[in-house]
Amino acid sequence: MASEVAYRLFEDELIDLVLCFSPSLSVAHGIKETFSRRLNCHFNGEIGAIGKSLTYQAIQYLDNSFWQTIRKYRVLVIFDEIHHCSGSSQEVANAWGQQILVKIQGLAKYTLALSGTPWRSDALPIVMAEYTDPEGQLVCDYQYTLAQAVNDGVCRSPKIVLIDNEKLTIATDEGDKSYPSILELLKSSNISYRNVIFNNQAVEYLVRLACDKLSEIRKESPNAGGLVVAASVEHAKSLCNLLRNKFNQKATIVTYKHDDALAEINRFKNGVTEWIVSVGMISEGTDIPRLQVCCHMSSVKTELYFRQVLGRILRVNNSPNQEALVIYVRRRKPSFNSRSNGTRYP
């Protein structure tokens, strides 16, 4: 959509250049490819290009000559996942938000700020956003919902599978204790959610369920892939080994400790390997449409993170099967409204 907006502004001779900012290298690379294809030109900031895709982190390293050059042109600036940038003023802005307020806010002819999760877990205001007073509700110029996207056929309808257990027994010094659900176990004992997602039996159950579902989908769509979201690098390694050795699946792993993580993500995106295991490298904005199953075993609890991970399996492609399934352990009552079908497994 953002590339289409840029295309039409160029057609109407309303802009000269486009700058795109996003939170990670993988997202910035995806934007570069999309804009190059839609605008039919280089999008690398070099001679002859009409734009460039950068990370928010890169803003602080652009020198004065860059900004002086940009000021000579009519520029469309696109901010992807703008919720990463907070601050209603320079004094209270985070590092990325401050860079936007100081260097970009008064520079752009047009701005387009995008977010699939337009709020922050710390409740701070999003940079450049408008809020109602005194309610503090975000004012959006346009909102395109998941329900609309599903109806329009541009997103898959997600199915959320909540894993629970109605007959949990834990051995303690006082004897065995039983719990009617994982939620009750977490509330009434010293067992943490991290204990659950590191438990061998629980992990094998989740992974087996995910593998069975992916195998079913791949009968119709042979290149369909799955994502496992791990809680740590060691957890990711363990899960990758489990997929390979226990379930005979081809799997690759990407974490912040991998120097070639972006290249590995691109190889998986364009390949046929069944699984990719990640800690935080594949969440918001990462464009891998062949992902259709997600096994969510992260210890991050925020709704924002869950929604971002869910979004990785919703992008439609040309495959015959367009199912989308996310599997995770039920640790609380869902706090979000969803039009998807929920399934509670024993």
Side-chain angles (χ1 to χ4, degrees):
M1 186 276 290
S3 66
E4 184 66 27
V5 169
Y7 177 83
R8 297 192 187 190
L9 288 173
F10 276 121
E11 269 199 329
D12 293 339
E13 298 183 350
L14 295 172
I15 59 172
D16 305 307
L17 295 172
V18 181
L19 288 177
C20 299
F21 296 99
S22 54
S24 69
L25 286 171
S26 61
V27 178
H29 180 75
I31 290 173
K32 176 186 173 182
E33 288 186 334
T34 299
F35 275 67
S36 294
R37 184 169 58 250
R38 184 65 188 97
L39 301 179
N40 192 28
C41 69
H42 296 298
F43 203 75
N44 55 13
E46 297 178 1
I47 294 175
I50 55 175
K52 189 172 185 178
S53 178
L54 299 155
T55 63
Y56 289 117
Q57 183 72 20
I59 298 176
Q60 62 186 311
Y61 300 111
L62 299 172
D63 58 25
N64 288 332
S65 63
F66 174 87
W67 299 112
Q68 287 171 7
T69 301
I70 292 296
R71 285 189 181 91
K72 298 176 183 178
Y73 298 93
R74 298 168 300 169
V75 184
L76 165 64
V77 182
I78 296 170
F79 303 101
D80 192 42
E81 307 293 357
I82 189 63
H83 60 269
H84 280 280
C85 308
S86 69
S88 54
S89 66
Q90 293 182 39
E91 292 73 26
V92 296
N94 67 2
W96 289 356
Q98 193 172 67
Q99 294 291 327
I100 291 172
L101 291 170
V102 172
K103 296 180 177 178
I104 300 176
Q105 188 174 35
L107 170 71
K109 176 71 173 177
Y110 299 99
T111 59
L112 177 61
L114 306 167
S115 176
T117 47
W119 73 89
R120 290 177 56 86
S121 297
D122 57 15
L124 290 173
I126 297 171
V127 70
M128 298 198 307
E130 293 182 24
Y131 293 86
T132 59
D133 186 23
E135 298 84 4
Q137 297 296 313
L138 179 66
V139 178
C140 293
D141 295 300
Y142 184 75
Q143 186 174 8
Y144 187 65
T145 67
L146 177 57
Q148 287 174 275
V150 171
N151 289 335
D152 290 344
V154 295
C155 273
R156 300 170 180 138
S157 179
K159 185 175 184 181
I160 299 171
V161 179
L162 306 175
I163 305 299
D164 210 337
N165 192 321
E166 297 175 351
K167 297 179 180 179
L168 279 168
T169 302
I170 304 297
T172 69
D173 293 338
E174 294 79 27
D176 291 349
K177 288 190 175 182
S178 297
Y179 300 91
S181 68
I182 292 173
L183 180 62
E184 192 61 36
L185 170 71
L186 299 178
K187 286 169 56 179
S188 307
S189 73
N190 60 357
I191 300 294
S192 69
Y193 183 73
R194 192 176 179 86
N195 293 139
V196 176
I197 58 176
F198 276 78
N199 178 273
N200 289 335
Q201 284 182 297
V203 167
E204 286 194 18
Y205 183 89
L206 265 69
V207 172
R208 180 181 290 107
L209 186 64
C211 288
D212 288 346
K213 186 59 186 178
L214 183 61
S215 177
E216 180 185 321
I217 292 173
R218 283 173 70 98
K219 290 176 182 177
E220 294 182 75
S221 304
N223 74 329
L227 166 66
V228 178
V229 184
S232 67
V233 174
E234 290 305 313
H235 193 214
K237 291 178 181 177
S238 173
L239 290 167
C240 194
N241 288 333
L242 182 67
L243 282 163
R244 291 169 177 169
N245 302 325
K246 176 82 174 181
F247 296 102
N248 299 314
Q249 300 282 291
K250 292 181 180 178
T252 188
I253 182 172
V254 287
T255 72
Y256 66 92
K257 288 191 174 182
H258 288 70
D259 293 332
D260 61 344
L262 181 57
E264 192 64 48
I265 290 171
N266 285 329
R267 280 193 289 271
F268 178 85
K269 175 181 177 178
N270 298 308
V272 294
T273 299
E274 283 101 328
W275 292 95
I276 188 164
V277 185
S278 171
V279 179
M281 297 294 295
I282 302 175
S283 55
E284 57 195 357
T286 308
D287 183 25
I288 311 177
R290 74 182 189 90
L291 286 176
Q292 292 185 239
V293 177
C294 175
C295 191
H296 191 290
M297 283 186 273
S298 169
S299 55
V300 180
K301 298 178 180 179
T302 66
E303 179 185 342
L304 186 150
Y305 186 76
F306 176 81
R307 283 181 179 268
Q308 290 287 2
V309 170
L310 176 64
R312 295 320 97 216
I313 61 171
L314 300 185
R315 303 188 178 201
V316 296
N317 56 10
N318 296 322
S319 296
N321 186 303
Q322 291 297 315
E323 291 181 82
L325 190 85
V326 60
I327 303 167
Y328 78 113
V329 175
R330 184 173 184 264
R331 56 183 167 188
R332 62 179 180 179
K333 294 180 180 179
S335 60
F336 52 88
N337 295 319
S338 174
R339 294 175 63 89
S340 61
N341 297 318
T343 303
R344 188 169 181 267
Y345 277 63

